[in-house]
Amino acid sequence: MSKQTKSFIYNLLSFAALFLPLQVAVSAFTNLQGLMVLVVAFVIATIFAPKFQAIKTKDGDKLFMKVIFVKGVKEIN
């Protein structure tokens, strides 16, 4: 599996892992209904989900991760 495919899958899984519980929490703890619950959960999950990116370097493809509250970028093997 290529690094680009891994980064896409990691992005999708990290977003889904935040979006689904946020959707339940937003609908339970706010008075929002319908599409607004999904929009609010989407925005929050987009902001707080870790971002993964595959970059081609001299040493080959490398996978990097950026998290909003962690300073810098971390390389993932």
Side-chain angles (χ1 to χ4, degrees):
M1 184 181 323
S2 70
K3 298 284 184 174
Q4 288 84 10
T5 306
K6 282 185 182 181
S7 69
F8 176 75
I9 291 171
Y10 289 159
N11 280 322
L12 181 66
L13 291 176
S14 65
F15 174 80
L18 286 176
F19 176 75
L20 296 174
L22 277 171
Q23 181 182 356
V24 173
V26 168
S27 66
F29 296 117
T30 65
N31 292 329
L32 297 175
Q33 295 178 353
L35 188 61
M36 285 308 296
V37 172
L38 299 174
V39 170
V40 169
F42 173 81
V43 170
I44 294 171
T46 301
I47 292 170
F48 289 112
K51 311 301 189 274
F52 296 89
Q53 187 172 10
I55 298 177
K56 293 182 182 182
T57 63
K58 293 181 253 181
D59 301 330
D61 289 347
K62 292 188 177 185
L63 188 61
F64 293 95
M65 176 182 76
K66 172 77 172 114
V67 182
I68 190 168
F69 293 118
V70 177
K71 188 174 184 180
V73 177
K74 294 187 178 190
E75 181 180 349
I76 301 190
N77 294 329

